Amino acid sequence: MTNVKFAPDRGECQRLLGAVPQFADLPDALMAGLCESATLLRAETGRLLFREGDPAEHFLLVRHGCVEMLRFTCDGEERVFHLFREGQLIAEAAMFMPHGRYPMNARSQDSGEFFRLSRIALRKACEGHPPLAMRMLENLSLRLYRQVNEVDWLTASSASQRLAAYLLGLHRRQGECLNLPISQRQLATHLGIRPESLSRLLSDWQHAGRIQGRLRQWLLCDLTYLQELASPAVRSF
C-alpha cells in the first residue's frame, strides 16, 4: 500500500510537538509556524517513509506506531540503528546536513501515523529564535556523545557483554519480561556479532538459568550476572 497524506489536525500536531523537550514552552506563533504546513502521513506495516539518499525536505513526528531506522550492509543484512515511537521526532538532524539527504532508511514497523514537518520551517524557526537553535544544538551534541560511547563500547567489548548491555537496556524500559523489538537476526547485526553466535549465547544462558524464553519473548532470571557483564558500559556522566 502506498503512503497516503491527509490534512492533519494542526492543533494536535502543535500539542504533540510541544511535548518534545526541545520545543517545550516556545512562543505560540513560532509553534504555529512550524505546524502550519504539516501533513499527516499514514503507512502500513513495512512501508518505507523515506530512503537513504532521498532529499531531506521533511522531518517526522510520530503520532502512532513505531519506526525502524536502518541501513543495509554490503551483504544485504539489515542493521537497525534506532526505534522511534509515539511523540518522538525522526530525522530532525538531517534538516541541517549540508548534503541535504537522509542518511538512513525509515520503515514503519507497524501501521502508523506521522506528522510530516517542513525542513524550511524548522530552519526558519531556528534562525528567528536562537533559544530553539541552542536546544537543537545541545540535543545533537548529546546524541553525538552517546554515539561515541556506543562505538567505543562496540569495539572494546565482547559479544556476551554487548548482549548483556542490550538486554539490560530493554529491562529498564520493559521490566523483567522482555519483548525484543527487532528480530534476532537484526539484533545480531545491531550488536556486531554473527547470528549463530547470538543464538549460541542465548542457548547457553538459558541452560545456565540466566534467562528463559524463545524468539522475541525473554525473561531475565539472573540480573546480577548480566549487570556484572555489562558494568564496563556504565559511565559516570
Side-chain angles (χ1 to χ4, degrees):
M1 178 179 175
T2 304
N3 298 334
V4 181
K5 289 180 285 184
F6 297 85
D9 178 345
R10 292 192 175 89
E12 181 188 1
C13 180
Q14 190 167 329
R15 288 191 297 273
L16 195 59
L17 184 62
V20 176
Q22 302 96 289
F23 295 88
D25 303 319
L26 292 178
D28 290 341
L30 184 144
M31 295 295 289
L34 281 167
C35 298
E36 182 179 7
S37 60
T39 55
L40 183 63
L41 189 65
R42 291 177 180 165
E44 298 300 324
T45 302
R47 299 304 303 183
L48 286 175
L49 305 177
F50 54 77
R51 292 176 171 81
E52 180 183 356
D54 283 351
E57 298 297 335
H58 299 88
F59 62 110
L60 302 178
L61 175 61
V62 183
R63 184 188 187 204
H64 298 298
C66 179
V67 175
E68 302 169 333
M69 299 300 296
L70 70 149
R71 279 182 169 178
F72 296 96
T73 65
C74 57
D75 55 0
E77 294 289 341
E78 294 181 358
R79 181 170 185 184
V80 177
F81 286 82
H82 197 74
L83 299 176
F84 290 92
R85 295 182 171 83
E86 182 176 334
Q88 293 184 306
L89 290 177
I90 301 173
E92 76 280 11
M95 303 300 98
F96 301 95
M97 291 184 176
H99 53 61
R101 297 185 180 276
Y102 293 114
M104 297 185 191
N105 304 284
R107 184 173 65 195
S108 186
Q109 194 179 68
D110 47 23
S111 296
E113 294 184 345
F114 316 94
F115 288 110
R116 198 165 176 256
L117 301 160
S118 164
R119 170 183 178 270
I120 293 174
L122 178 61
R123 293 176 68 98
K124 182 179 179 181
C126 288
E127 290 168 358
H129 192 71
L132 172 59
M134 288 300 299
R135 290 183 188 182
M136 297 291 292
L137 184 58
E138 290 168 357
N139 180 261
L140 294 176
S141 297
L142 180 59
R143 285 161 60 177
L144 176 60
Y145 171 70
R146 289 171 177 167
Q147 289 295 320
V148 169
N149 289 341
E150 183 177 347
V151 170
D152 184 36
W153 171 244
L154 287 173
T155 55
S157 58
S158 67
S160 59
Q161 288 175 317
R162 294 197 291 276
L163 178 58
Y166 181 85
L167 293 178
L168 287 171
L170 285 184
H171 174 263
R172 286 191 291 272
R173 296 188 294 274
Q174 299 182 8
E176 290 185 1
C177 297
L178 307 185
N179 178 32
L180 297 183
I182 54 179
S183 70
Q184 286 192 22
R185 191 169 192 87
Q186 289 173 324
L187 177 57
T189 303
H190 175 73
L191 297 176
I193 61 180
R194 300 176 69 86
E196 54 269 28
S197 298
L198 174 62
S199 179
R200 184 169 58 252
L201 265 175
L202 291 172
S203 178
D204 289 347
W205 286 0
Q206 187 158 9
H207 289 151
R210 314 294 189 191
I211 59 175
Q212 292 180 5
R214 61 187 301 272
L215 300 178
R216 293 197 180 194
Q217 305 297 321
W218 295 92
L219 174 68
L220 303 187
C221 305
D222 192 343
L223 284 176
T224 300
Y225 173 80
L226 297 175
Q227 288 165 347
E228 289 175 354
L229 265 181
S231 59
V234 179
R235 303 185 66 85
S236 59
F237 64 96

